[in-house]
Amino acid sequence: MRKIISFVCFLVLTFGSFSQAKADNRSLAGIWQQIVSNAGKCDKCRITIKQQGSVLRVTSNNGWFAIVEADKRGKSNALSGVGRWEPGYGGSYGRASFDIHFTLTDGQLYMNMTVPMKNGPTQVIKAIFDKLPSGNRDDSSMLKA
């Protein structure tokens, strides 16, 4: 647990000095429902995006989190960052760190997560999310999938 807290503190301090994210954080913040993934169908998989200082924190209900910021190339609809799978989640991904990239296109959030594996080739998880309307946001949706 101490390593995870240290990792999060490192991320916040590292990204905290950058300018405010250029992406429209109002359209990104909230709860997003996974609609498709190359890792398999998951009707209960969701991510929550929250502003945290000058960065955005992405938390999944299936065991990973990330800190992202606006793409340095100036694309207002792209976010990039780093994250980590929690111990005991994600099967072979448990405790693995990863790079992550999000692009908001036509109201859908596209995700590419690149996970370098210790005992095998790098894995790329791709998913597409739809934002849940504010009336459909129920705290029980963030229970572990």
Side-chain angles (χ1 to χ4, degrees):
M1 185 66 166
R2 184 176 286 172
K3 288 181 181 181
I4 292 173
I5 292 170
S6 297
F7 178 71
V8 170
C9 290
F10 168 76
L11 293 175
V12 170
L13 290 173
T14 300
F15 290 128
S17 63
F18 293 113
S19 62
Q20 195 75 329
K22 295 178 186 174
D24 182 358
N25 295 343
R26 291 171 301 216
S27 63
L28 291 169
I31 300 173
W32 294 79
Q33 168 73 45
Q34 179 182 300
I35 58 170
V36 66
S37 170
N38 68 340
K41 184 173 175 61
C42 181
D43 293 333
K44 295 180 180 181
C45 289
R46 291 174 172 69
I47 59 173
T48 300
I49 300 177
K50 291 183 180 179
Q51 185 74 42
Q52 193 169 17
S54 62
V55 296
L56 295 168
R57 180 175 173 85
V58 183
T59 308
S60 77
N61 68 333
N62 63 337
W64 60 266
F65 66 92
I67 304 294
V68 296
E69 65 175 338
D71 192 299
K72 290 180 177 60
R73 296 175 299 231
K75 294 181 180 178
S76 63
N77 63 342
L79 300 167
S80 296
V82 294
R84 179 174 296 278
W85 282 88
E86 296 176 25
Y89 291 93
S92 62
Y93 299 119
R95 297 182 190 247
S97 59
F98 56 82
D99 292 323
I100 195 160
H101 181 81
F102 291 100
T103 304
L104 183 62
T105 304
D106 295 329
Q108 291 187 314
L109 193 61
Y110 290 76
M111 178 194 84
N112 279 338
M113 176 190 290
T114 305
V115 186
M117 303 300 289
K118 289 182 182 178
N119 299 325
T122 297
Q123 300 292 313
V124 178
I125 301 171
K126 296 182 178 193
I128 302 173
F129 297 86
D130 277 339
K131 192 170 188 181
L132 291 177
S134 55
N136 289 345
R137 293 182 190 172
D138 141 9
D139 287 338
S140 67
S141 68
M142 288 311 295
L143 297 174
K144 300 290 181 199

